[in-house]
Amino acid sequence: MPTNQASAGHLLKLIRSGQATTRGELQAATGLSRSTVGHRLDQLFHAGWLRNTAGTSTGGRPSVRLEFDARHAVVLAVDLDTTHGRAAVTDLAGTVLAEHARPLLISDGPDKVLDAVGSWFPALLEAAGVEAGTVCGIGLSVPGPVDCETGTVVQPPVMPGWDGRPVQSTLQESFARHVGQAVAPPPVLVDNDANLMAYGEQRHHYPDCSAFALIKVSAGIGAGVVVGGEPYRGIDGGAGDIGHIRLHDRQDALCMCGSYGCLGAVASGRAIAEQLTALGIPAPSATEVREHLAAGQPDAVRLAREAGQRVGEVLVTVVTLLNPGVLVIAGDLACAPFLTGVRELLYQRAMPRTTAHLTVATSELGDRAALVGAAAMVVEHLYSPEIADARLATAGGA
């Protein structure tokens, strides 16, 4: 690493990644002098971002190792779905310290929904035993396409009233209103729910998988892709919107986007809910479908397996294009019947070379996947070398 690139933020990156965890290793990795490394580490210690830990001993005095202190600040993570919301306080390693969930209609629009979310924050912080001033950022997961450069939701089919609205500033204002004006609102980062679920799953359970895909099947259907440890979003956040891939034989199925034959209109939790209701089995939403599946309701099980087959048809192309090592099924329909349907079509129609090293599984993080991913998004942004250096320069790391 060139000396001019070895700022305090870059040293932090080396420490967090495990590439260099002693002063000597940092000198060797950067080419900096002992005094310069010491000065930059002093910045990080002063900010509270590092701590010393005892290393292994080879017979003499144990070496002192440097470690990122994941408890020096917290993140507020928020996951919005079409009919419910979930929020949590996490430490910087993604450990959930307090959590809250309740019904919430995304169709009520950003002002009402984000004000409700902000009203949860004081009790969450109290339950976690932390002060509002320790919140370094807020991560928000939404069920629609997001332009991450601007933090705006872009033409979301299931989020009426959200298109182009200033979501970040609206949530910051809600934070200030409910938590208190004495605390400066933290930065807000926004991304699509499937992206964040994929990011959370990959980081916490499949960190060595260089090509990872997650399919969320709830009210709608979406995909998140992580390549080389980073979410792949496309040029403007539209990557992974597989719920609107058209099925040639279902031109009778009207999708919420206004088109006919979309995968989401045929095989989503919303679609199964409509089919169950038509059979006289009450299912107002994907949440009730999930409950029927948990109870082993025969029609729900049958329809979930058929939906898995339809999704599997599309995933043949997805897997052939991406060649992932892991494909995770998540959301309300992440159950054995749906997974069986996916596997039946996927392994039947994809080339053996494509699936030879593919693991197809259900989510390990479950309902917390988007929360964990949202927290990780905030941490990776705020402690990236450039942003970390800016924070150290302007606010002493606070």
Side-chain angles (χ1 to χ4, degrees):
M1 177 184 296
T3 300
N4 62 0
Q5 291 295 309
S7 65
H10 283 86
L11 296 191
L12 181 65
K13 180 179 180 179
L14 291 172
I15 294 166
R16 291 186 63 220
S17 67
Q19 293 176 263
T21 58
T22 67
R23 293 171 185 262
E25 290 173 353
L26 289 170
Q27 287 178 246
T30 62
L32 296 176
S33 67
R34 180 176 180 179
S35 62
T36 301
V37 167
H39 171 71
R40 293 179 182 173
L41 289 177
D42 285 344
Q43 291 179 272
L44 298 172
F45 275 108
H46 179 71
W49 295 358
L50 291 184
R51 64 183 180 184
N52 288 317
T53 61
T56 56
S57 174
T58 57
R61 186 171 62 182
S63 60
V64 175
R65 298 209 164 267
L66 303 162
E67 184 177 275
F68 181 61
D69 187 352
R71 290 277 180 161
H72 80 264
V74 297
V75 173
L76 283 167
V78 180
D79 173 27
L80 298 180
D81 210 327
T82 54
T83 59
H84 70 272
R86 186 181 298 269
V89 179
T90 79
D91 66 15
L92 302 183
T95 302
V96 174
L97 307 178
E99 187 174 357
H100 176 77
R102 62 169 298 168
L104 198 64
L105 294 176
I106 200 78
S107 58
D108 283 340
D111 293 337
K112 183 174 181 179
V113 169
L114 296 179
D115 182 66
V117 168
S119 72
W120 302 344
F121 291 161
L124 271 171
L125 294 170
E126 182 179 359
V130 297
E131 299 293 329
T134 64
V135 178
C136 65
I138 303 174
L140 175 62
S141 164
V142 297
V146 175
D147 183 341
C148 289
E149 292 297 319
T150 63
T152 55
V153 183
V154 183
Q155 299 178 3
V158 298
M159 300 176 67
W162 291 74
D163 184 25
R165 294 292 298 279
V167 174
Q168 292 169 308
S169 60
T170 301
L171 188 52
Q172 285 180 314
E173 291 164 5
S174 179
F175 177 93
R177 187 161 53 249
H178 293 285
V179 174
Q181 297 288 347
V183 180
V188 174
L189 278 71
V190 189
D191 202 350
N192 169 262
D193 54 1
N195 288 343
L196 293 178
M197 293 171 74
Y199 195 39
E201 291 280 352
Q202 190 272 335
R203 285 176 58 86
H204 282 260
H205 291 286
Y206 303 96
D208 297 326
C209 181
S210 60
F212 176 94
L214 177 142
I215 311 302
K216 180 190 177 184
V217 189
S218 289
I221 300 175
V225 177
V226 180
V227 178
E230 297 292 332
Y232 177 76
R233 301 183 177 94
I235 60 172
D236 61 4
D241 204 3
I242 67 169
H244 298 286
I245 292 176
R246 308 286 178 81
L247 301 177
H248 68 88
D249 61 342
R250 286 303 310 272
Q251 296 307 306
D252 60 314
L254 176 61
C255 182
M256 290 192 68
C257 73
S259 298
Y260 287 87
C262 292
L263 178 65
V266 175
S268 66
R270 185 192 304 273
I272 294 179
E274 293 173 354
Q275 294 173 60
L276 285 174
T277 300
L279 293 172
I281 302 164
S285 71
T287 301
E288 285 74 25
V289 174
R290 180 177 184 170
E291 293 171 357
H292 286 308
L293 287 168
Q297 205 285 329
D299 288 302
V301 169
R302 173 180 58 81
L303 291 171
R305 181 168 178 169
E306 291 173 1
Q309 292 172 337
R310 298 315 305 254
V311 172
E313 293 178 38
V314 172
L315 292 182
V316 171
T317 301
V318 173
V319 166
T320 301
L321 177 65
L322 294 177
N323 189 210
V326 178
L327 174 66
V328 166
I329 306 297
D332 289 322
L333 299 192
C335 60
F338 187 90
L339 189 64
T340 298
V342 168
R343 285 174 168 159
E344 284 175 347
L345 266 291
L346 187 58
Y347 287 103
Q348 174 188 339
R349 298 189 181 181
M351 293 290 290
R353 170 68 179 82
T354 306
T355 57
H357 303 288
L358 175 66
T359 297
V360 182
T362 53
S363 169
E364 295 281 350
L365 293 173
D367 290 339
R368 286 181 168 176
L371 293 177
V372 172
M377 170 181 63
V378 171
V379 173
E380 292 307 311
H381 173 75
L382 292 180
Y383 295 92
S384 64
E386 294 77 12
I387 302 300
D389 286 332
R391 294 173 67 207
L392 289 170
T394 61

